[in-house]
Amino acid sequence: MKRTFNLAAVLLSLLLTACGGMGGVSNTIDVTMTDFQFQPNQFTVPAGEEITFNSSNNGAVVHNFVIMKLGTTAGDFFDDEDVPNVYWEVELVPGGSTNTSFTAPSEPGEYQVVCRTEGHIVSGMTAKLIVVPAEE
Ligand SMILES: [Cu+2]
């Protein structure tokens, strides 16, 4: 009886850990780019902290991960007037991958992520970066 209870507790804790990794706050972003999606397409990070960024481009064309500044969006097409609104970006060639890092924005809020390659926003290549206050 006791053994059964312990097993249940272990399974429950594993389950909670798995859920935390998917929907919770993380200092790591793992994203796969395809033609034309970010997978996953929502990330939650702590404000002002170092974020490890691992990404690969499984598509046949160049893709970008572009974080727009708070309160700005690229609209349907990324053009020259959107350039000053870029918070951080990285570009990946087809088949390419990257392991880099960036500092999360210090201001909590919802930031738009887009691929700036022409035509990719309207093809659905957008995502959401949710910045939450860092825990003390
Ligand atoms: Cu793209």
Side-chain angles (χ1 to χ4, degrees):
M1 198 62 178
K2 191 163 188 292
R3 177 168 295 173
T4 306
F5 174 77
N6 284 343
L7 182 63
V10 168
L11 287 174
L12 182 65
S13 68
L14 284 174
L15 194 66
L16 289 173
T17 306
C19 290
M22 273 171 15
V25 183
S26 177
N27 284 63
T28 303
I29 289 178
D30 291 303
V31 59
T32 302
M33 305 182 196
T34 63
D35 307 334
F36 304 90
Q37 275 187 331
F38 294 110
Q39 295 174 336
N41 61 6
Q42 184 170 315
F43 314 93
T44 305
V45 298
E49 291 192 8
E50 178 97 349
I51 308 301
T52 302
F53 184 88
N54 302 317
S55 179
S56 56
N57 180 354
N58 290 355
V61 293
V62 171
H63 291 299
N64 306 268
F65 189 94
V66 184
I67 302 170
M68 302 302 293
K69 290 180 182 169
L70 190 62
T72 72
T73 61
D76 285 343
F77 297 95
F78 190 99
D79 49 33
D80 288 347
E81 67 186 23
D82 297 311
V83 173
N85 294 332
V86 170
Y87 174 80
W88 184 79
E89 65 180 310
V90 65
E91 178 179 289
L92 266 80
V93 296
S97 63
T98 185
N99 294 53
T100 182
S101 66
F102 68 98
T103 304
S106 55
E107 207 174 335
E110 256 187 47
Y111 293 70
Q112 189 195 34
V113 174
V114 301
C115 175
R116 63 185 286 176
T117 306
E118 198 176 340
H120 289 199
I121 292 176
V122 287
S123 300
M125 215 163 167
T126 62
K128 198 186 288 184
L129 179 73
I130 300 168
V131 177
V132 297
E135 286 181 31
E136 293 302 315

